[in-house]
Amino acid sequence: MHPATAKWYDRRDCVFIEFCIADSKDVEVNFEKSKFAFSCLGGTDQVKHSNEIDLFEAIDQKDSKHKRTDRSVLCCLRKVEAGKKWPRMTKEKAKLNWLSVDFNNWKDWEEDSDEEHENFDRFSEMMNSMGGEDGMPDLDGVEEEEEADSDDEKMPDLE
């Protein structure tokens, strides 16, 4: 058995961990209050992968979930204490060579106020509700106002 390569990131209510296993089968995820276990068969050779983590803080086993895709398995661990930052995924400070921080999704949410979160949520909803291609509104029939510009004067014909 081999540990699966994983990346994790912290949010206000949850901690996310993504196991980077392509074509995973027989995925098993076990959420416990202070421990988390993952196993599957994956890759072209269908190697058995197994990971176990003693978590930094407690999680809510009932509200924690996972989702399998063709490329990975994403797990959402719901924090018991929402709003408490996790500086690391593990209880111990030991470095696990298969676990790294997902800097593409990392966000320093501690400095955000609740009002900023609400504004962002409203902005996201507004953008999603707009029609047209690529989420942009349809601008057909809207004419732009042109400002008078000295460069816009008609040029005399060339002889």
Side-chain angles (χ1 to χ4, degrees), residues 29-62:
V29 179
N30 186 15
F31 301 107
E32 295 179 26
K33 186 175 181 175
S34 60
K35 194 179 266 191
F36 170 72
F38 168 82
S39 66
C40 74
L41 293 174
T44 54
D45 299 337
Q46 290 299 300
V47 175
K48 175 79 173 174
H49 296 277
S50 180
N51 302 63
E52 191 171 296
I53 302 171
D54 289 321
L55 298 169
F56 180 75
E57 290 285 335
I59 61 169
D60 182 347
Q61 305 108 276
K62 294 176 187 149

Side-chain angles (χ1 to χ4, degrees), residues 126 141-142 159:
M126 180 183 73
V142 175
E159 294 180 12

Side-chain angles (χ1 to χ4, degrees), residues 88-134:
R88 61 185 179 275
M89 186 82 183
T90 60
K91 188 169 204 66
E92 302 297 320
K93 287 188 177 183
K95 171 81 172 125
L96 302 174
N97 60 356
W98 54 266
L99 182 63
S100 63
V101 174
D102 186 351
F103 288 107
N104 291 333
N105 288 307
W106 194 268
K107 182 178 185 315
D108 194 9
W109 53 263
E110 276 189 316
E111 297 172 5
D112 294 346
S113 68
D114 290 335
E115 184 178 318
E116 287 173 328
H117 283 290
E118 290 172 17
N119 289 341
F120 180 76
D121 291 341
R122 281 193 295 251
F123 177 74
S124 296
E125 288 173 20
M126 180 183 73
M127 291 300 290
N128 290 334
S129 67
M130 295 175 117
E133 288 183 17
D134 300 324

